Amino acid sequence: MADNAISDTAPGEDVADPTRGLTGRTGVVGGIESLVLDGRRLWFGFDFTSDQVLSPLIDDAGAMARYAARHMRQRTGAHDESYWAQLVQAAAENSYLVRYDEQRTFTTQSLETGDAGPAHGHLLYLLDAATEDPVDSDPVHTGTGSQEPATQSGLRPDEVTLEGEDGQPGTALTLNTVGNWSLLFAPYARSAPTA
């Protein structure tokens, strides 16, 4: 199994190694968000100040709390697993990123057809937040916790496009996502036209 990848284990089994953080995205102030992919709840850390994903997608609530306790901070500093477990539980019911649950619910089938429905805008926003540019030294892009309120591309969620630097649709979707985020974006990238 790849580092921080979701496996074929049953829900509730620990599927991410909470000892390994995402390079350049540890010790950053953030909160917990979640989404549903194919009926399975996935949690992730998120820096609301710089619009940046702080963790892989994790399908176990306890593993998410352990990951956050080890690699994330709140404005009040570091906290233990029980503190983060409360935020993980709250993230299943509510989101600070979208208003409606259907905006954060995806199926592989709908992603492969290129139609994420009401979740389309959120999908593009998350793509931008989970994409890294290894040649970019800007702290907003490298996950060093910059307090600049910008996304990696400098675009708001409704302005994000699917084109990579080479102008080809879908390139950014598969090449530079952090952790295991390609699980969400690879099916969508396959649906993007190549011409």
Side-chain angles (χ1 to χ4, degrees):
M1 179 171 56
D3 291 342
N4 296 322
I6 295 176
S7 69
D8 292 327
T9 59
E13 292 184 38
D14 190 13
V15 296
D17 179 358
T19 62
R20 296 184 57 148
L22 296 178
T23 303
R25 298 182 187 217
T26 59
V28 178
V29 172
I32 305 295
E33 284 288 327
S34 73
L35 57 88
V36 175
L37 177 62
D38 296 329
R40 195 170 195 179
R41 175 84 45 199
L42 304 170
W43 287 272
F44 58 97
F46 195 81
D47 177 355
F48 300 97
T49 303
S50 66
D51 296 322
Q52 190 171 63
V53 164
L54 300 178
S55 77
L57 292 164
I58 299 173
D59 71 346
D60 177 83
M64 184 68 241
R66 284 188 298 281
Y67 185 94
R70 181 164 288 202
H71 300 294
M72 295 173 56
R73 303 290 176 264
Q74 289 272 279
R75 290 178 194 253
T76 54
H79 292 278
D80 64 12
E81 284 182 42
S82 63
Y83 172 90
W84 285 103
Q86 293 175 19
L87 296 180
V88 169
Q89 182 179 9
E93 299 297 321
N94 300 301
S95 171
Y96 289 103
L97 297 177
V98 294
R99 178 175 281 186
Y100 304 108
D101 205 42
E102 55 269 8
Q103 293 174 297
R104 59 186 181 145
T105 302
F106 306 92
T107 65
T108 299
Q109 181 179 6
S110 68
L111 293 172
E112 287 178 340
T113 64
D115 179 16
H120 184 79
H122 189 49
L123 174 72
L124 296 179
Y125 175 71
L126 290 176
L127 166 65
D128 192 46
T131 301
E132 62 184 359
D133 184 356
V135 298
D136 193 344
S137 61
D138 183 341
V140 172
H141 300 192
T142 59
T144 56
S146 168
Q147 297 302 306
E148 292 297 317
T151 60
Q152 290 178 12
S153 65
L155 301 173
R156 300 310 317 155
D158 58 343
E159 299 172 318
V160 178
T161 66
L162 297 178
E163 291 185 4
E165 288 181 22
D166 60 3
Q168 293 298 313
T171 302
L173 288 166
T174 57
L175 295 180
N176 300 316
T177 57
V178 296
N180 61 358
W181 280 81
S182 63
L183 289 171
L184 185 61
F185 300 124
Y188 193 67
R190 288 191 296 268
S191 72
T194 57

